[in-house]
Amino acid sequence: MDVKTKKKKTNWSKNEFETLVSESENKFDVLEGDLSVSLTGSDKRKAWESVMEWTRKRLNMQSPRLIISTQKLKKQKKIQTII
């Protein structure tokens, strides 16, 4: 019996992954810190949004694939809200 296995397509290219990791390391203390009076969930959300925004800006210059995947996500969200 000849069984063919499909390889899962990677979610991130090597460049995309390295960019995301490097930027998230810059905000590590906020992203991984315990919640307290001085560190709120809102602070963590803002830090993550800034990581993603910076990553998108940097990768949009290098990778059209990210633009396409962002457009697909927006389209999926529209479909889900209609249903």
Side-chain angles (χ1 to χ4, degrees):
M1 213 185 255
D2 192 21
V3 178
K4 292 184 180 180
T5 58
K6 290 185 178 180
K7 263 195 164 180
K8 183 180 180 256
K9 183 180 168 187
T10 59
N11 293 333
W12 303 89
S13 71
K14 185 176 180 179
N15 185 31
E16 291 169 337
F17 183 75
E18 288 174 355
T19 302
L20 183 61
V21 168
S22 69
E23 184 58 21
S24 61
E25 284 176 345
N26 293 338
K27 305 274 185 182
F28 183 81
D29 293 338
V30 175
L31 295 172
E32 297 297 322
D34 294 332
L35 294 176
S36 66
V37 174
S38 62
L39 180 61
T40 63
S42 177
D43 295 333
K44 287 183 170 228
R45 213 172 298 109
K46 287 176 185 174
W48 182 247
E49 287 171 1
S50 75
V51 167
M52 292 308 296
E53 184 65 28
W54 187 88
T55 303
R56 279 189 206 112
K57 284 180 182 177
R58 182 166 178 200
L59 291 176
N60 280 344
M61 292 180 227
Q62 302 166 359
S63 173
R65 190 178 106 196
L66 186 64
I67 297 168
I68 293 168
S69 63
T70 304
Q71 290 170 349
K72 284 182 181 179
L73 285 174
K74 287 180 182 177
K75 186 177 179 181
Q76 287 175 352
K77 286 182 181 180
K78 285 181 184 177
I79 291 171
Q80 288 175 353
T81 56
I82 293 171
I83 296 174

